[in-house]
Amino acid sequence: DLGYRISWVLRETRGLVAKIPGDGKALKDGPAKGGRGSIANTGTLWAACDELVAFAKRGFGGNLVRKTEEMRDTVKDVMEELKEWGEETGSDDDEDEDEEEDEDDEEDEEGVKEVTQSLEAAKIADTQAMLDDLMNSSSYIPRDDPDKIRERLESCLRRLRLVTLLYQAVAKRRFKSLPQTAPPAEEGSDIPTRLDEIMVLLKKIPERFGSLALAFYELDPVEIDKLMDQCFFDCFAVAELLIKPWDGGKDEFSDWVVKFQAEVKKA
């Protein structure tokens, strides 16, 4: 992330410098050959610098907190979309079918816009595309529900709620306590390794839940069960990696993790 922001600043700086005339004449604002003018370039460069400064001020721990909160919001989006989908029902009345489909299309379009805007803020493009696909689905849980999709959905929603709490607790109880700069890979310290493993899992979980939501939309009980196991296995793994404070031992969050794992098993 830091490298991306630095390259953005350098790229915009080079673009602005390239517009300066070499003959000593005044810099023109008008765009050349379809490009941007100098004022637009200056504004973009300013924004890139502001973003880089904000990133530096947040520090190592602060940026991990921000990323975790963004991923939590994405999980919340999946949860809300699944909840709304579960509340929708199909109609057996042929006379009203076209009208209801029109209404559903309008709701789907609004849902797509809402999810897309939220995920753009979270900067998770893969999950955004997946959720957009989900909202274009028109399947419903059948009234007789022979595969017990609704039962699985209710269990998934309870667990999703717990997962959002996990992200919130991780940000508050573990990442906020990290220093301003990245901890060195000192001999005998497992913090860098733990952080690498934790962040891989935290990024993977929202994507897995997106796939799980797709399985619900397709009313596929086998895929639902498989993906649900994968999702919550990853959540257990994250919790296990964070059960101890960075300096070892045990604290209040350690006890919370044990309760979290028990609640996920019951849900």
Side-chain angles (χ1 to χ4, degrees), residues 59-75:
F60 179 72
N63 282 300
L64 287 182
V65 168
R66 185 177 182 181
K67 268 188 169 295
T68 304
E69 290 173 345
E70 290 172 350
M71 290 183 282
R72 176 204 62 196
D73 291 342
T74 304
V75 174

Side-chain angles (χ1 to χ4, degrees), residues 17-210:
V17 170
K19 290 182 179 296
I20 300 175
D23 55 6
K25 293 182 179 179
L27 181 63
K28 296 181 179 180
D29 178 51
K33 296 182 181 179
R36 292 176 298 173
S38 60
I39 292 180
N41 268 105
T42 303
T44 305
L45 175 58
W46 197 295
C49 292
D50 284 345
E51 182 66 24
L52 179 59
V53 170
F55 185 90
K57 285 183 177 180
R58 285 193 297 269
F60 179 72
N63 282 300
L64 287 182
V65 168
R66 185 177 182 181
K67 268 188 169 295
T68 304
E69 290 173 345
E70 290 172 350
M71 290 183 282
R72 176 204 62 196
D73 291 342
T74 304
V75 174
K76 279 186 176 181
D77 287 335
V78 176
M79 181 175 67
E80 290 301 319
E81 295 304 332
L82 274 174
K83 184 178 178 182
E84 290 179 12
W85 172 77
E87 293 171 352
E88 294 177 349
T89 57
S91 173
D92 295 329
D93 188 347
D94 293 335
E95 294 180 359
D96 296 336
E97 185 174 351
D98 292 339
E99 181 179 347
E100 289 182 356
E101 286 180 355
D102 290 341
E103 292 175 357
D104 290 338
D105 288 342
E106 292 176 2
E107 291 175 1
D108 287 350
E109 290 175 3
E110 290 301 317
V112 170
K113 292 178 182 177
E114 180 180 341
V115 175
T116 302
Q117 290 172 356
S118 177
L119 291 176
E120 282 177 350
K123 297 180 181 178
I124 304 180
D126 291 342
T127 309
Q128 174 186 343
M130 184 172 292
L131 285 176
D132 288 345
D133 290 340
L134 297 182
M135 287 305 298
N136 288 328
S137 173
S138 58
S139 60
Y140 301 102
I141 299 175
R143 293 181 180 178
D144 56 348
D145 196 11
D147 295 318
K148 298 183 178 179
I149 300 295
R150 189 168 299 282
E151 181 180 317
R152 289 176 166 87
L153 177 62
E154 290 172 355
S155 174
C156 179
L157 290 173
R158 288 194 295 269
R159 291 177 172 183
L160 273 168
R161 171 61 180 161
L162 292 170
V163 173
T164 62
L165 295 177
L166 173 64
Y167 274 84
Q168 183 175 329
V170 167
K172 182 178 180 180
R173 300 295 183 180
R174 286 292 181 260
F175 289 162
K176 275 190 176 180
S177 63
L178 288 169
Q180 185 77 1
T181 57
E186 297 175 351
E187 184 177 352
S189 173
D190 66 343
I191 295 179
T193 303
R194 284 174 68 188
L195 283 171
D196 287 342
E197 295 175 356
I198 289 163
M199 293 309 297
V200 167
L201 288 170
L202 287 177
K203 291 176 182 177
K204 185 190 298 182
I205 288 171
E207 296 173 3
R208 281 207 192 279
F209 276 120

Side-chain angles (χ1 to χ4, degrees), residues 166 169-171 174-175 194-195 198 202 236-246 251 253-254 257:
L166 173 64
V170 167
R174 286 292 181 260
F175 289 162
R194 284 174 68 188
L195 283 171
I198 289 163
L202 287 177
F236 266 73
V238 168
E240 200 63 33
L241 286 167
L242 288 163
I243 196 168
K244 293 181 180 180
W246 302 118
D251 62 4
F253 183 70
S254 305
V257 166

